[in-house]
Amino acid sequence: MNPSVSAPPPHFPPHFPEAPPALVDVDWLAGRLDDPQVRIVDATFFLPTQQRDAAEEHTECRLPGAVFFDIDAIADPHTNLPHMMPSAELFAARVGELGIANTDHVVAYDAMGVATAACRVWWMFRAFGHGRVSVLDGGLPAWLRRGLPTEEGPPVPPVPRTFSASGPARGVVAVDQVLAALDGGGPPLVDARGAGRFQGVEPEPRPTARAGHVPGSLNLPFLDLLDPREMTFRPSADLAAAFERAGVDPAQPLVAACGSGVTACVLAVGAHLLGHDTVSVYDGSWAEWGDRADLPIVGPEG
């Protein structure tokens, strides 16, 4: 039994032939700090259990000119699920308030390499039709290691600009699509959580009623795509090997999931770096599936 959508989602991830690279390094960005069309966003995100405040840390140390992209605020306000995709109208309004226009090249970074929400922000912009977006490989730690300048203190409020988003968001898979496809033969569901969480033997950082995984799903921990010391993406050969070990063909359509739809986007970037825009994201992920008693699971007892 293989959870999948029987056909690619109706709004499959777009391909942007003229888009900038998905990854840029700190030297590339350091040379463009004065470029008015390069807009830096701090996408740092922490779970409540981490007892860290991302907005506060943005005030204490940030890249020059960076604005804070709060994935919990730029989200659907009509659900109890965490940071679900907003409407195109809400996304456009919030992004415009950050001083970002459609002509801008957005560069997203994390305070922990690429391990929090920079990849999520990359995916969100592309889902709403904006291909001019990149992830800063290694994020703030890589920037600090190079001794590059930072800012501190309350940031200067950005000058609002007009941003247009195309909707509905592409590449978003809902729970009913996954559920309806449990007996289908389409793209696999690939879970980016660690093996212990996937097997249900380690606790979820965001507690859910049940532990385990969606029946038939595959496990590709997002950390397998990253260098464990630098928290940068591994070379292409290593990325390809990680997908292969998990039994996943990144050249074929797949649906990525995780705890709450954030690190699933690391798989989307990883597949893109191998030349494939094949990844949709199950936005509710385990935060939704694990809390619904009516949905089947494979738990720690098999």
Side-chain angles (χ1 to χ4, degrees):
M1 187 162 63
N2 189 32
S4 55
V5 285
S6 55
H11 300 284
F12 202 62
H15 178 64
F16 300 98
E18 304 303 321
L23 286 185
V24 296
D25 63 25
V26 294
D27 291 329
W28 182 95
L29 184 57
R32 290 165 174 80
L33 290 179
D34 294 329
D35 187 336
Q37 289 193 330
V38 172
R39 297 292 295 161
I40 306 172
V41 300
D42 178 353
T44 301
F45 161 76
F46 298 118
L47 289 163
T49 54
Q50 293 175 284
Q51 299 182 337
R52 298 173 67 180
D53 186 289
E56 183 177 303
E57 293 199 14
H58 175 78
T59 299
E60 294 173 354
C61 181
R62 62 185 176 274
L63 269 63
V67 293
F68 182 58
F69 190 110
D70 185 347
I71 64 168
D72 282 323
I74 306 178
D76 182 357
H78 306 298
T79 176
N80 291 327
L81 292 171
H83 38 256
M84 294 284 282
M85 284 288 276
S87 66
E89 293 76 16
L90 190 151
F91 183 82
R94 296 291 182 268
V95 166
E97 290 168 1
L98 293 178
I100 297 171
N102 294 89
T103 53
D104 290 334
H105 178 180
V106 178
V107 179
Y109 77 89
D110 284 338
M112 298 173 64
V114 294
T116 57
C119 292
R120 171 77 179 190
V121 170
W122 176 88
W123 176 74
M124 290 177 73
F125 271 98
R126 289 168 59 87
F128 285 116
H130 185 79
R132 292 178 56 78
V133 58
S134 302
V135 172
L136 180 64
D137 202 17
L140 179 61
W143 189 267
L144 295 175
R145 285 195 299 271
R146 292 279 285 106
L148 294 166
T150 58
E151 294 178 345
E152 62 181 35
V156 177
V159 177
R161 301 174 72 192
T162 299
F163 186 91
S164 297
S166 60
R170 299 180 178 185
V172 182
V173 174
V175 63
D176 57 341
Q177 292 173 281
V178 178
L179 180 62
L182 285 177
D183 294 316
L189 183 71
V190 184
D191 194 323
R193 294 176 299 159
R197 292 169 61 193
F198 180 80
Q199 295 162 4
V201 297
E202 292 181 2
E204 289 291 318
R206 187 184 300 278
T208 54
R210 304 178 301 167
H213 59 268
V214 178
S217 55
L218 302 172
N219 186 211
L220 173 51
F222 78 95
L223 287 174
D224 287 0
L225 304 186
L226 307 180
D227 179 284
R229 283 188 11 174
E230 307 292 339
M231 296 307 289
T232 54
F233 274 93
R234 294 181 183 272
S236 294
D238 294 343
L239 295 179
F243 276 96
E244 184 176 2
R245 284 194 303 272
V248 179
D249 182 355
Q252 300 299 317
L254 63 97
V255 177
C258 58
S260 61
V262 176
T263 57
C265 299
V266 175
L267 304 191
V269 175
H272 178 88
L273 294 174
L274 293 174
H276 310 299
D277 285 314
T278 54
V279 180
S280 296
V281 172
Y282 167 31
D283 207 22
S285 284
W286 196 252
E288 178 176 35
W289 198 280
D291 264 349
R292 283 189 46 177
D294 60 319
L295 299 175
I297 69 165
V298 176
E301 297 178 359

